[in-house]
Amino acid sequence: MTALTEFATMYRERETLSLRTRLLFTFGAVAALHVAAVVLLIAGTAGAAQPLALGLVITAYVAGIKHSYDWDHIAAIDNSTRKFVAQRKDPVSVGFAFSLGHSSVVILAGLLVVAGATLIGQFMEDGTTGNKVLGLIGSGVSGLFLLAMGLFNGSAFVRASQVYRRVQAGGGVRPEDLEAKGFVARLLAKPLSKVERPRNIYVIGFLFGLGFDTATTIGLLVITTTASLAGVSPLALMALPLAFTAAMTLCDSINGVAMMKMYKSAIHNPQRKLGFNAVITGISAVSALFIAVITLGGFFNSAFELGDPLTTWLAGIDLGDAGLILVGLFVLVWAVSAMRGRHARAGA
């Protein structure tokens, strides 16, 4: 009981903990999800040779990795991280919180499948009322959130670009120059005021996941349903969504921490990284706005049953693996900045 009390106290005071301790907690939670998936698989196959279950768990794990690189995941995590870092916070758990919220939908759906509920099939089947309602919630929330984040970080990009040109002309730079200010920032201050901590991103991630709009998510639930009919034990079946969650939280947590370090190096060292800050902030803003337009286009097309070519085209765009392009772009910008920094130090 004492240990639980100490843990609860530590959780309440987590923001006073060191960065290293919070990183240990975040990746400790990721490790716990991996252990839980393995334990369920072992318990579900004990005393019975079920190679099918092992193969399905591995498939679910790979699906979780693939799903973590969807463009909306990357854009939501990167833009949220940029906002928190600009507020002088160390958001180590943004990726974990978003991913856990997103995958909670999959875990709940998996529980319903294992319990034999046929209701979940109505949510996955195109054209049904349940599928349309959840799809509208998921796309509406994700589109509006990414639009707000894109505009907010777009405001920061404009300021960073102005400061960069001023410094190039011989002017100075103050830390507050890199914050998002102006009409757009003031306009979005109230809507984004609820997103104060990384844990708030859990709710955003959960609502993102309600759409059942990705082939990966639907495929996992179809696999779970098929495995249930094939006689795989309930415990082994629950290992599937947990393996999916473990893989997705691992990749999204790494992405979130990497982006935190990248943004911190840009914002907390403005004299040397002003151009770098402007570029990565611009990429984040453009990516969020890009996905917001596509998502909201699909939302309006479905909500109002529009037949115009524009929203129909937007609704049909599949950006499945495009998130890898965004990650590669960030890595390329970071690498160029690092090389330029080394050359500058060598020249000095």
Side-chain angles (χ1 to χ4, degrees):
M1 191 70 178
T2 304
L4 287 175
T5 303
E6 291 178 353
F7 184 82
T9 302
M10 188 177 295
Y11 177 78
R12 286 194 298 269
E13 300 175 353
R14 59 194 174 279
E15 292 182 8
T16 64
L17 299 175
S18 67
L19 178 62
R20 182 178 180 182
T21 301
R22 282 183 286 151
L23 282 170
L24 286 173
F25 269 105
T26 297
F27 285 98
V30 173
L33 288 170
H34 282 75
V35 171
V38 172
V39 168
L40 282 175
L41 176 62
I42 293 174
T45 57
Q50 293 194 16
L52 173 63
L54 176 60
L56 291 177
V57 168
I58 294 174
T59 300
Y61 192 85
V62 173
I65 295 175
K66 180 179 182 296
H67 193 57
S68 69
Y69 288 102
D70 281 1
W71 196 309
D72 61 340
H73 268 243
I74 305 298
I77 293 170
D78 291 353
N79 278 267
S80 301
T81 300
R82 170 66 177 75
K83 176 181 181 293
F84 290 134
V85 171
Q87 296 170 343
R88 300 302 190 267
K89 298 173 183 176
D90 292 324
V92 299
S93 58
V94 169
F96 176 78
F98 178 88
S99 188
L100 189 63
H102 198 80
S103 55
S104 291
V105 177
V106 179
I107 293 176
L108 290 173
L111 279 170
L112 289 174
V113 169
V114 172
T118 58
L119 181 65
I120 190 63
Q122 299 176 19
F123 293 138
M124 292 190 298
E125 186 178 345
D126 284 338
T128 61
T129 301
N131 178 268
K132 185 172 182 178
V133 170
L134 289 184
L136 289 174
I137 293 173
S139 60
V141 169
S142 60
L144 289 174
F145 178 74
L146 289 174
L147 179 63
M149 280 296 182
L151 291 173
F152 184 84
N153 286 331
S155 175
F157 166 71
V158 170
R159 287 183 61 82
S161 300
Q162 291 171 344
V163 174
Y164 179 75
R165 289 194 296 269
R166 191 176 72 217
V167 170
Q168 290 293 94
V173 57
R174 303 180 302 273
E176 59 268 23
D177 286 335
L178 302 180
E179 297 176 4
K181 293 183 179 179
F183 173 75
V184 172
R186 290 195 300 272
L187 182 67
L188 296 172
K190 190 168 184 178
L192 293 179
S193 63
K194 301 298 181 183
V195 186
E196 297 179 342
R197 300 286 184 273
R199 63 179 177 271
N200 301 139
I201 301 299
Y202 173 88
V203 178
I204 301 296
F206 185 87
L207 294 173
F208 263 54
L210 284 178
F212 292 105
D213 56 348
T214 64
T216 307
T217 303
I218 294 174
L220 175 68
L221 295 175
V222 169
I223 288 173
T224 306
T225 304
T226 305
S228 176
L229 296 174
V232 176
S233 71
L235 287 177
L237 286 175
M238 281 312 302
L240 299 183
L242 266 181
F244 179 87
T245 300
M248 191 159 60
T249 53
L250 174 62
C251 294
D252 282 344
S253 295
I254 291 173
N255 173 49
V257 171
M259 291 308 301
M260 179 192 72
K261 290 184 175 296
M262 189 179 293
Y263 282 124
K264 282 182 67 176
S265 70
I267 290 179
H268 297 324
N269 191 4
Q271 290 287 359
R272 290 177 53 190
K273 299 268 183 105
L274 201 55
F276 175 60
N277 176 72
V279 171
I280 60 172
T281 301
I283 293 173
S284 286
V286 169
S287 67
L289 293 172
F290 178 60
I291 298 301
V293 169
I294 294 173
T295 304
L296 291 176
F299 171 85
F300 286 116
N301 181 269
S302 178
F304 301 106
E305 299 182 350
L306 302 177
D308 65 289
L310 178 59
T311 60
T312 301
W313 175 67
L314 290 173
I317 294 177
D318 181 11
L319 294 170
D321 299 322
L324 290 171
I325 299 174
L326 186 57
V327 172
L329 190 55
F330 278 119
V331 171
L332 177 62
V333 172
W334 174 82
V336 171
S337 176
M339 290 176 60
R340 292 182 63 180
R342 287 178 184 174
H343 290 154
R345 288 194 296 271

